[in-house]
Amino acid sequence: MSGLRTESFAGDELTRDDFLGGALRLWQPRDGYRAGMDPVLLAASIPAKEGDTVLELGCGGGAALACLGARVPGLICTGVEMQPAYAALAQRNLNENGLTGTVHCADLSALPAAVRSERFDHVIANPPYFEDFRAVAARSEERAVSRSGALPLERWVSVASKRLKPGGVATFIQRADRLPELMSAFFGCLGALELWPIHPRSTRPAGLVLLRGRKERRAAFVSHPPLVLHRGESHEKDADSYTEAVSKVLRSPQMLPFPDQSRGQRQRF
């Protein structure tokens, strides 16, 4: 596995950072993949409840799993991460925040038996954003792995679908320019698709999307009104311009449900 971080991070290679307004404290590498807003938004969008099981594919240091676990008491978390150092870091982050879960070091193409034998209520993923031919030089090899993966999105979605219970929900966050590829993959094996575009500002095009589908469910495709991250038309220097809804989920363990969430829940059962 050339290019993967196999050795554990030394203490001076890590920082411990507050997430969700200090409700979580997560270890992250100083130089490598560091979680931003994306896993927080992904976790906030998941309609999980106490006792549910959730699997994250490619969980990195565990930010999305930890954010979801901090919001939903009694959630049972499972992570899969191909880089050994990040898998160990994700497990440490779950443990030190008092969350129930197991992180497996494995590739999506060779899941461990413990994962293959289980079906989950939710599968979530924040796949690498850049195809190899689009990727720009990364600052470190492990960051490069997180940015451009060898497996196509179709494979990520296929694995997610196979690991869901009937009626279970798969939710992915991805760059908007890869939406055609992601939609095609979802249509191949999931139903009741819902798209939630994420715009940096109301006057700018979507930069990210959240896409959700359900196992063995059929319903018309829904494209929801956009989630807007920032107020105003341009950046305000040294000012917090997040919209109220986004600010809440960044600063506390709050849910950010898809629009018409009650409709989506009725379709699930």
Side-chain angles (χ1 to χ4, degrees):
M1 296 193 299
S2 177
L4 302 186
R5 174 79 188 221
T6 57
E7 297 181 359
S8 297
F9 291 104
D12 60 0
E13 292 183 289
L14 297 173
T15 63
R16 198 176 190 194
D17 305 308
D18 286 347
F19 280 72
L20 306 182
L24 283 174
R25 299 199 70 204
L26 301 180
W27 293 103
Q28 300 194 94
R30 292 183 186 275
D31 184 18
Y33 174 74
R34 292 177 62 83
M37 181 189 301
D38 305 357
V40 181
L41 294 177
L42 174 62
S45 76
I46 307 304
K49 60 184 183 299
E50 184 175 358
D52 276 1
T53 55
V54 59
L55 169 66
E56 182 175 12
L57 303 176
C59 67
L65 277 180
C67 287
L68 184 52
R71 175 170 63 82
V72 183
L75 192 71
I76 303 169
C77 300
T78 301
V80 173
E81 169 54 45
M82 69 183 296
Q83 299 194 71
Y86 282 88
L89 196 61
Q91 187 68 68
R92 181 181 181 183
N93 281 328
L94 291 180
N95 294 346
E96 294 192 10
N97 284 282
L99 303 173
T100 301
T102 302
V103 178
H104 301 270
C105 183
D107 191 276
L108 267 64
S109 61
L111 293 177
V115 177
R116 296 198 312 270
S117 64
E118 188 172 351
R119 296 293 184 271
F120 298 85
D121 297 295
H122 300 274
V123 178
I124 65 175
N126 181 14
Y129 280 169
F130 296 95
E131 295 175 273
D132 286 336
F133 70 86
R134 293 178 178 173
V136 296
R139 290 175 57 190
S140 66
E141 288 185 340
E142 62 264 25
R143 184 176 293 180
V145 171
S146 74
R147 287 166 62 93
S148 57
L151 292 176
L153 288 177
E154 180 181 11
R155 180 60 175 159
W156 284 74
V157 176
S158 175
V159 172
S161 175
K162 290 175 181 177
R163 300 276 58 81
L164 284 171
K165 297 177 181 179
V169 182
T171 309
F172 281 44
I173 191 167
Q174 182 58 231
R175 283 177 59 99
D177 62 359
R178 298 194 71 187
L179 178 59
E181 181 185 356
L182 187 62
M183 286 278 290
S184 176
F186 267 61
F187 271 121
C189 52
L190 295 165
L193 269 57
E194 297 180 71
L195 171 66
W196 199 6
I198 302 173
H199 293 235
R201 299 182 186 276
S202 61
T203 56
R204 296 178 59 186
L208 297 170
V209 295
L210 283 161
L211 187 63
R212 168 178 295 167
R214 292 170 172 79
K215 180 74 171 283
E216 299 179 10
R217 293 293 183 267
R218 297 180 63 182
F221 167 67
V222 177
S223 180
H224 293 294
L227 171 66
V228 178
L229 300 179
H230 296 277
R231 303 185 306 271
E233 296 184 2
S234 61
H235 174 68
E236 299 176 18
K237 185 177 180 180
D238 299 327
D240 180 356
S241 64
Y242 288 118
T243 58
E244 182 179 358
V246 172
S247 182
K248 285 181 179 179
V249 301
L250 294 179
R251 290 171 170 77
S252 61
Q254 296 285 328
M255 188 175 180
L256 185 66
F258 270 51
D260 296 327
Q261 188 63 37
S262 61
R263 173 179 176 270
Q265 291 281 28
R266 286 197 299 273
Q267 291 173 350
R268 179 179 171 183
F269 297 104

